[in-house]
Every structure is written in C-alpha cells, then in structure tokens.
Amino acid sequence: IAYFDITTLLDEDDGEAAKSLKNANSIRELPIHMRLYDFGLQELVDKRRVEGAPRLFMDYGQSADGRWSQQFSKWFQRYRKHAGVERIVSGKNRVDFHSFRHNFEDVVRNLSDVKQEVRDALQGHGENGVSAQYGTGVYRKTLNEAMKEVEYAGLDLSHLILRS
C-alpha cells in the first residue's frame, strides 16, 4: 500500500525541523488515493528523490515563525481571489484552504461503512477515551480501503490527468 509518511524530520546540518507537525496525532501513514498518480504524483516523488529533498512539497519555505503552511496559505488566498472565489460565508462554511479538509471529512463521513475511528485516523485526529491508550491504531489496510472509496461526485478533474 503506497502511503504518505507524515512525520517530523530534523535537518542533519543544524537540527532544525525540515518538516513539522501540529501535534503527535498528526504523525501517521496516510494511504495515497490512486487518482493522484493520474495527476503526476509519481513523477513528483521521483524528482524529489533525485534532488534529495526532505519534503515532497518544496515550493514554499518556512515562515519567520517556523511554520511551513503560512507561505502556501497566503499564495492560496491570492489564487482564490484571482479565480473569483471570495470568502462570502463566515464560520465553518467559509472558503479557504482548510475547506479541503472539511470537504474530505464530509465525503468520508458519508461513506456508509467507514467508522469514526477510521475518519479520525485519516484526518490525523486522536482517539478519545480509554481505547486511545491501547493498540497501535487503525491498520493501513483499513485506511486504504476507506481512501479507495473517497470520491467527489460531479467534480471534473480530467484537465489534470497526465496519464490514464
């Protein structure tokens, strides 16, 4: 099962974080939706390996406060406005980069056979209660089966396909 290894990584030269995460629950092995390969994921992975890059997405650096997401978030805000998608709704229905997480949660929530524990594991949310203290978590195979079911009805991404 191909997966994203979401973990921290320290730079060997200076010990600074080359990758960082929000919390311990963020560390996970996230199965890759096979559709991403149609969009050129393998080519990007191969390129980063040749470069010896510590992260897959290297286009934006760390902000002054050490966060990796801030520069991309600012770029996405400018792109969203350029594309004519304005933040017209406030609260949890606003349109911003975090909307992708909300949409993913909605899709997985509506899959009939996916338990909340699996949804939480896919999103990097921790388990609650005593069960969080036992075992190693949801198996990669279980996460992969759920990921295979993720589909956005009516969303046409055919313009992104590099190969079929």
Side-chain angles (χ1 to χ4, degrees):
I1 297 170
Y3 62 92
F4 290 113
D5 185 10
I6 303 174
T7 186
T8 57
L9 178 70
L10 296 180
D11 188 293
E12 293 176 11
D13 296 330
D14 59 14
E16 292 293 316
K19 296 189 321 184
S20 59
L21 299 173
K22 189 174 181 179
N23 57 50
N25 293 321
S26 298
I27 298 171
R28 63 195 186 281
E29 295 175 349
L30 182 65
I32 298 171
H33 195 289
M34 295 311 291
R35 192 75 166 139
L36 293 178
Y37 288 103
D38 297 336
F39 304 148
L41 177 65
Q42 189 60 56
E43 290 78 2
L44 179 61
V45 168
D46 294 343
K47 178 181 175 186
R48 295 300 188 235
R49 282 189 177 143
V50 167
E51 296 169 348
R55 295 181 325 279
L56 183 58
F57 302 106
M58 295 289 297
D59 298 332
Y60 299 92
Q62 268 180 308
S63 61
D65 66 358
R67 293 186 302 168
W68 288 99
S69 61
Q70 189 174 19
Q71 289 183 8
F72 179 79
S73 184
K74 287 180 179 181
W75 172 87
F76 185 77
Q77 182 180 20
R78 289 189 304 271
Y79 175 77
R80 179 179 52 83
K81 288 179 180 177
H82 174 77
V85 179
E86 294 298 325
R87 188 183 296 205
I88 56 174
V89 180
S90 63
K92 73 176 191 173
N93 292 321
R94 70 184 183 272
V95 177
D96 59 15
F97 193 72
H98 211 70
S99 300
F100 290 109
R101 286 186 67 108
H102 291 282
N103 288 331
F104 180 80
E105 179 68 26
D106 285 343
V107 168
V108 178
R109 181 183 288 129
N110 285 286
L111 294 174
S112 59
D113 294 333
V114 177
K115 298 177 189 176
Q116 181 169 348
E117 293 85 1
V118 174
R119 290 194 332 255
D120 288 345
L122 287 171
Q123 290 268 43
H125 299 156
E127 287 186 61
N128 295 317
V130 176
S131 66
Q133 298 174 20
Y134 297 100
T136 58
V138 180
Y139 295 140
R140 191 181 312 146
K141 179 181 178 189
T142 304
L143 297 175
N144 191 51
E145 291 303 315
M147 188 64 80
K148 286 179 184 178
E149 299 297 319
V150 172
E151 182 178 305
Y152 295 86
L155 180 60
D156 181 9
L157 297 175
S158 61
H159 63 287
L160 298 176
I161 296 176
L162 301 179
R163 60 185 175 164
S164 52

